[in-house]
Amino acid sequence: MSMPATPPAVEFASDINPLLAEAFLDEAPAHASRFSEAVSRLGSDDASLDDLVLAQHAAHSLKGSSNITGVVVIAEFTHRVEDVLDWLADNGELPPADLCH
């Protein structure tokens, strides 16, 4: 699969309330950081289902706030990530370590 020449633009919905956009910009980095930390732990020898749940919650939070603010690129990505994490959790499985690097 080839990557697009230019990454998709990250834009808010045109009718977004500026306070929602500001809240998203304040909160999204923390959600992304929690997600990154959980995924890093999932790629380690000490991975646990608790890390999977933390990654699920962070992805869900990012998806929700992205949908609310109309940031479609992040909403679509996190939706797919959440689907994978949900499947893993439903089956009591951790992701292969290579998937987390």
Side-chain angles (χ1 to χ4, degrees), residues 3-9:
M3 298 294 292
T6 54

Side-chain angles (χ1 to χ4, degrees), residues 2-90:
S2 64
M3 298 294 292
T6 54
V10 176
E11 300 175 348
F12 292 111
S14 61
D15 60 347
I16 189 70
N17 179 316
L19 293 176
L20 279 177
E22 185 177 333
F24 176 84
L25 293 173
D26 286 343
E27 296 171 6
H31 296 310
S33 179
R34 281 194 300 279
F35 176 77
S36 179
E37 291 168 5
V39 169
S40 290
R41 284 190 304 273
L42 284 170
S44 74
D45 292 335
D46 297 329
S48 73
L49 290 176
D50 289 340
D51 298 319
L52 183 64
V53 171
L54 290 172
Q56 278 181 290
H57 287 288
H60 181 78
S61 295
L62 274 171
K63 180 187 76 173
S65 60
S66 297
N67 275 321
I68 289 169
T69 55
V71 183
V72 177
V73 170
I74 295 174
E76 289 177 355
F77 172 75
T78 52
H79 179 87
R80 283 163 182 72
V81 168
E82 188 179 23
D83 285 347
V84 171
L85 295 172
D86 287 347
W87 185 91
L88 289 165
D90 288 348

